[in-house]
Amino acid sequence: MVDDFLSKEITLLEGIGLDKAQLLKEELGIHTFKDLLEYYPFRYEDKKTLFTVSTIASAPASTGIPLQGYIRNVQKIGRGKKRLTACFQDSTGQLELVWFQNFSWIIKKIKPNILYRVWGKPSFLPSGLIQLIHPEISLATDNPFDCLSPVYHTTEKLKKKQLGTIGIADLQKKILSQLGDSVVETLPFNLINQYQLISLKLALKHIHFPSNQQILWQAQRRLKFEELFYIQLKLLKIKQVRVEKQNSRSFGDLSLFHNFYNNYLSFNLTSDQKKVIRDIYRDLCSGKQMNRLLQGDVGSGKTIVAFLASLVVVNNQAQVAIMAPTEVLAKQHYKRFYVYAKQLDLPVALLTGSTKKKEREHIIYQLKVGLLPIIVGTHALLSNDVLFKELGFFIIDEQHRFGVAQRAGLLAKNQVYAPHILIMTATPIPRTLAMSFYGDLAISTIYTLPEGRRPIKTQHYYEHLRLKVFKFLKEQLVSGRQVYIVYPLIEASATLDYHNLLTGYENIVSAFPDISVGMVHGKMDSTSREVEMDRFERNETAILVTTTVIEVGVHIPNATVMVVENADRFGLAQLHQLRGRVGRGDMQGYCILMTNYNLTKIGKARIDTMVKTSNGFEIAELDLKLRGPGDLMGLQQSGDLNLKIADLTKDTSILEAARQSAKKIIKEDSNFHNPDNLPIYRAYNRLMALSGSWSMIG
Ligand code: ADP
Ligand code: MG
């Protein structure tokens, strides 16, 4: 009964017709009163920052610069009277307001001697005229904001329907004034007390219309805590359900593992590698499904760990699948598994989208009858007709393209028990993210690289030193080494990038006339790409001009130099991945970052970071700071982490507190039956009803 008000359709709000409701749905995903109320401002404007016509030129280049004054001389002009202009005037001067459409309401509404507040982004015309195009307008006296004015993200379409910042604020005000007792507290009293939080109702009021900075902080803190608390609770609960329910097979026989370990392993494992293998082995013997994330920087030696773990499963007559995100990477994994497994006479096969039909049929048959213990592949492995006799272990490399939802699909591959899952990533995940996003996974980390690795020397060169760079490349080539030259390829301007790549290739060919140069890029079909990769791998080409298709996993120890062109256009994580392609053998590796002079601040920060450190975890933390978690590793698109208010880069201490609290509650009252936890019981069930079958996954 209490929830009825907030779950009302947005059309039931006074002033919202069907068309506005439709737009709110399409543009902002707002369906109900609750959705609207949880559409928080993304920033606030202080009254004191009012600008005047004379100071507007010094205003920051944001969209909503507020001015206060009179609006006169409203008139339609131009051919067909398609444009509306008006003169805005304050004590310091005047400027022009312009509308191109939907202005009948302005003609009706605006009166000459009334003080208005307008918000807009100024254009400064050469004539000296200042214009505000499609400004937002409110009465100055009726300014809905006591102190801080909310600013909401909005869109052109919404603005045309008077749902700009002011319009949205008006709606919020309407809902807030009708709230009454319909906001049900979602946190138990002891948590509110412990962390000195304000009530949900108060927080909702002040998040939209804070009367001062202090109360705004309190509102934000409360809502962030709640948001993070429920994410943690959900993840911990999933983990618990899995531990309780997902049975898997226990693999005990270690003789094959020992055989390989004692007779064929050509190096000593690092202590981190040993620890990870123990972690995995413990899971494999537990009888419960393993869901483990293995993170370790490029070159830290995850592959051998995966192989050793596979042996335990194979030894016990179950099968192992290893899935990589690209063909190139799948092939690399295949080769290494093949070489390792051959020593034990274990067959391994490769299955990708380009596997020939006949071979594919053969592989599928072998998997089904159990003749093939290890299969490496791409997403092709997930195809419905790929069935196993007994899939016991599924290894996923580079997980960030593979979310929680997809993991669920794997369960269908074994009807009897849930296969153990190991996810490997070379993109170290900052602790805060790992905690929020992978809270349902156990995490193992390889922190240190095998001994004797030389750190890659990274340098930044501006364009004018290109000849010097070429001279260095020549020296390396003469001494028998190979070189990667990487060009950016970014969807938005793919054609332009492609031209850059081709031009770059021609330049390289003419700069190094007696060197064989190869090229790979995403527009090539996979066969020719493979041919080129193979040639480079066999050292038939000494320079490889490429786009980021080279990014993951490629392992060619003789390639010691990587030149990254327009390096500022790459993300940090990507640069770090790229750099991991060199320095994979005994020889010193070099990474050369080329840029133009006109670097953005963030671009420069990324380059500096790369030059300064080679620690993947440090880089990941900085990446998170520079980009924000939304961008990081495409997490936003995965939809699993849709934060309304918390910011994982900044709210670490709130996250920590929320996680501790969630842990404690799961431990003491995991079904929320304690009367004190009634608010959690209600909120959690509502949450689960909304997110569907998420909880079954993992
Ligand atoms: P990752 O997959 O983590 O990037 P790899 O498994 O490809 O790293 O390992 C990189 C290289 O280091 C491989 O040639 C591998 O054989 C080697 N390697 C792995 N572990 C060790 C170790 N403990 N000592 C020496 N070399 C190792
Ligand atoms: Mg690897």
Side-chain angles (χ1 to χ4, degrees), residues 267-270 273 296-305 333 336 340 397 424 426 446 450-451 453 553 555 557 581 584:
F267 43 73
N268 294 323
L269 294 180
T270 63
Q273 283 174 314
D297 221 335
V298 274
S300 61
K302 295 181 294 297
T303 312
I304 190 68
V305 168
H333 275 313
R336 296 181 57 192
Y340 290 144
D397 199 12
M424 303 198 290
I446 305 180
E451 252 173 60
R453 287 288 164 74
H555 180 67
R581 298 307 113 227
R584 295 179 79 88

Side-chain angles (χ1 to χ4, degrees), residues 235-282:
L235 288 168
L236 290 170
K237 192 83 180 153
I238 290 171
K239 202 173 189 172
Q240 188 200 33
V241 166
R242 204 184 41 229
V243 168
E244 277 170 7
K245 301 226 177 92
Q246 290 287 9
N247 286 320
S248 188
R249 212 187 119 185
S250 163
F251 296 101
D253 194 340
L254 282 173
S255 46
L256 200 57
F257 170 90
H258 285 306
N259 182 7
F260 187 86
Y261 191 90
N262 296 327
N263 302 317
Y264 300 105
L265 192 61
S266 56
F267 43 73
N268 294 323
L269 294 180
T270 63
S271 57
D272 284 343
Q273 283 174 314
K274 285 183 190 160
K275 179 175 179 305
V276 172
I277 289 174
R278 278 197 297 270
D279 286 347
I280 295 174
Y281 179 63
R282 209 182 314 113

